Amino acid sequence: MTPAYLKGKPSYGEHFAAWCEHYLTHSVDQFAGKPLVLEPWQRDFMREALAADENGDFAWQSVCLLVSRKNGKTALLAAYALWHLLETDGSPEILLAAASDKQAGRLFDAVVAYVRNSPELAERVIVRGYIGEISRTDGRGKILRMSSSPERLHGYGPSLVICDEVAQWVTPNLRKAWAALTTGGGARRSAQTFTITTAGESHTRETGILGRLVDGNERQGDIEKQDALTISRNFAGRTLVYRYEAQTTDPQDTAAIKKANPASWITEEFLARQAANPELSPDEFLQLHACVWTDGSRRAWIPRGAWQALE
């Protein structure tokens, strides 16, 4: 569904969706060999995330998607990184970052898999996996797999930064990495930061990067609620947040939890199996599969909300 403020205004979202279906192919499990066809919820999200202003620039500077595991976050953002590289002007520079080098490598590998499966795209880029770089053959743009060390993140001028699983960015070094990554696009006319993640632990919410981003945007922006989805639009700060969260803390309430899993392939049966998995605690299940901020007060010196109450 198109938001009222977007009706009649341009967005690159439809072009992105059509481009994905034409050029990109899945390579994993049951979807292997099939074209990447965006689901309705992904189309809605990308239509808004790629809204354009009157100059044709991206309207949103910062975009955040909170959704449960296995809903296609990595595949979607890997596709966007490749589209941004090949379909935008101005020598795009795309940085892929995560809480660990290995995690950033997974996102990079997803981009590479798309290239390997498309002869047309393979002719337009050069993949240098050993250094974590995908560059356009015309030399006018590149995707870089970034280290999680903050001292190695300065000196870039990104047009797009994709930060994976920001709920895990809780150490001082990762906070510095976030600052380095999200302040590098100042010289760009239309730079964006995309954040994709599941929910975090409650004891990190007040002071963590993700909690400040999400809760701050909901305090300052316009709020739209659609069952398990909360959309906050901070027009002044040019920040858009899509937050899925099950309206339950009962792991057995699979009907409510399914609403925080918009992907068609996530079924109540799958969720029931995960809830019954003895390797997952109830808190871990709710955090990963219901996108609920789990109660970390047992590990916190000061209970959640205490600082906020003293504000």
Side-chain angles (χ1 to χ4, degrees), residues 153-176:
L153 298 176
H154 294 280
Y156 296 96
S159 57
L160 172 64
V161 177
I162 296 178
C163 298
D164 195 9
E165 292 298 348
V166 173
Q168 300 173 17
W169 294 40
V170 294
T171 66
N173 260 4
L174 288 168
R175 293 171 193 269
K176 291 178 183 177

Side-chain angles (χ1 to χ4, degrees), residues 81 113 212:
R212 292 202 311 268

Side-chain angles (χ1 to χ4, degrees), residues 61-66 73-74 77-78 80-81 94-100 103-104 107 144 146-147 153 158 160-169 174-183 192-198 209-210 213:
Q61 179 178 314
S62 179
V63 177
C64 178
L65 172 63
L66 265 84
K73 298 190 301 293
T74 299
L77 271 300
Y80 180 49
I94 298 100
L95 309 183
L96 308 181
S100 68
Q103 200 165 22
L107 185 55
L144 298 171
M146 304 306 295
S147 165
L153 298 176
L160 172 64
V161 177
I162 296 178
C163 298
D164 195 9
E165 292 298 348
V166 173
Q168 300 173 17
W169 294 40
L174 288 168
R175 293 171 193 269
K176 291 178 183 177
W178 172 266
L181 288 164
T182 57
T183 57
Q192 281 189 309
T193 298
F194 264 68
T195 302
I196 55 173
T197 186
T198 54
I209 293 168
L210 182 62
L213 171 61

Side-chain angles (χ1 to χ4, degrees), residues 68-69 71 251-261 266-277 280 285 288-290:
S68 305
R69 285 197 72 197
N71 278 266
Q252 307 306 316
D253 189 357
T254 55
I257 293 170
K258 165 57 188 166
K259 294 177 181 178
N261 290 269
I266 301 295
T267 64
E268 286 193 50
E269 290 76 16
F270 167 78
L271 294 170
R273 289 197 303 271
Q274 291 298 98
N277 184 350
L280 282 179
F285 170 78
L288 298 175
H289 292 291

Side-chain angles (χ1 to χ4, degrees), residues 212-232:
R212 292 202 311 268
L213 171 61
V214 173
D215 295 338
N217 211 57
E218 291 186 4
R219 283 194 297 269
Q220 298 174 34
D222 297 339
I223 302 293
E224 178 183 345
K225 289 187 176 291
Q226 301 176 11
D227 210 344
L229 171 62
T230 299
I231 304 171
S232 58

